[in-house]
Amino acid sequence: MGILVRENVVEDVIQVERINSRIMKIKIVMGKKVGNIFSVYAPQVGRPEAEKEAFWGMLDDAKTVAESEVLLDLNCRIGEDRRGFEEVMGAHRFGVRNQEGERILELYQSKELRVINTMFRNDRKKKITYKSGGAEAPIDFILRRIRGHMGKARGI
């Protein structure tokens, strides 16, 4: 678990906090604001359900997501179908959603977070963050709090 920071912004990092083996946070000065950047490593598909339940409970209960401005989430597939998640996902999606993807989208929606990766057109090659045995998918997502009310993403 780690967060890479460009050398030219290292001095802007105020705090580094390892919340547990799956969640890490840095607090960083971003212009005139201070923001939180989280790196989150979710249990992979095939892991025991008890492990997943413990992770999701911890993530939902923690102020982690409630206070975050940007969150990087791993190991889920949100897919291209955005029905029910129009405020969360943009027009540029890829693949098929898995159970973890459904769960994380519900969490994002409840915390009013938007998947920034889906807001911009990008090469298929640049979207893919996981490749194994012929399977490929984007499983890393950058999120941003939706400003104002759902549907109006001011400040994104």
Side-chain angles (χ1 to χ4, degrees):
M1 172 60 65
I3 299 175
L4 296 175
V5 178
R6 292 180 82 167
E7 190 174 346
N8 64 333
V9 295
V10 166
E11 291 184 14
D12 295 331
V13 175
I14 302 169
Q15 178 185 20
V16 177
E17 180 182 354
R18 182 180 170 152
I19 296 168
N20 58 40
S21 64
R22 293 195 173 272
I23 301 175
M24 185 174 194
K25 173 179 97 170
I26 65 171
K27 189 173 277 194
I28 188 167
V29 176
M30 295 186 270
K32 295 179 180 180
K33 295 183 178 184
V34 173
N36 295 311
I37 299 176
F38 290 87
S39 180
V40 177
Y41 188 72
Q44 295 173 309
V45 172
R47 296 298 303 162
E49 196 58 34
E51 182 181 336
K52 291 178 185 181
E53 287 298 321
F55 170 79
W56 293 110
M58 171 193 57
L59 189 61
D60 194 35
D61 291 344
K63 291 186 177 182
T64 306
V65 176
E67 295 176 352
S68 72
E69 284 298 318
V70 180
L71 177 94
L72 176 61
D73 177 51
L74 307 173
N75 289 331
C76 70
R77 297 178 187 195
I78 62 171
E80 57 189 36
D81 181 8
R82 66 187 282 226
R83 284 177 292 188
F85 299 105
E86 292 83 1
E87 294 86 11
V88 177
M89 298 170 67
H92 307 285
R93 302 160 318 276
F94 175 84
V96 178
R97 182 174 306 138
N98 63 10
Q99 182 179 357
E100 286 79 4
E102 182 79 21
R103 196 164 191 179
I104 199 73
L105 285 172
E106 290 169 356
L107 178 66
Y108 296 165
Q109 193 168 47
S110 73
K111 304 295 184 183
E112 296 184 342
L113 296 168
R114 179 166 280 177
V115 183
I116 298 301
N117 307 48
T118 64
M119 302 296 156
F120 305 99
R121 185 180 317 259
N122 212 339
D123 262 7
R124 175 186 167 99
K125 187 177 177 180
K126 292 180 182 175
K127 287 181 184 181
I128 304 302
T129 55
Y130 170 81
K131 283 185 179 185
S132 177
E136 57 183 26
I139 60 170
D140 301 343
F141 304 103
I142 299 172
L143 308 174
R144 181 75 192 248
R145 174 127 359 259
I146 299 171
R147 300 285 181 215
H149 61 81
M150 297 295 277
K152 278 198 173 178
R154 298 185 310 243
I156 292 181

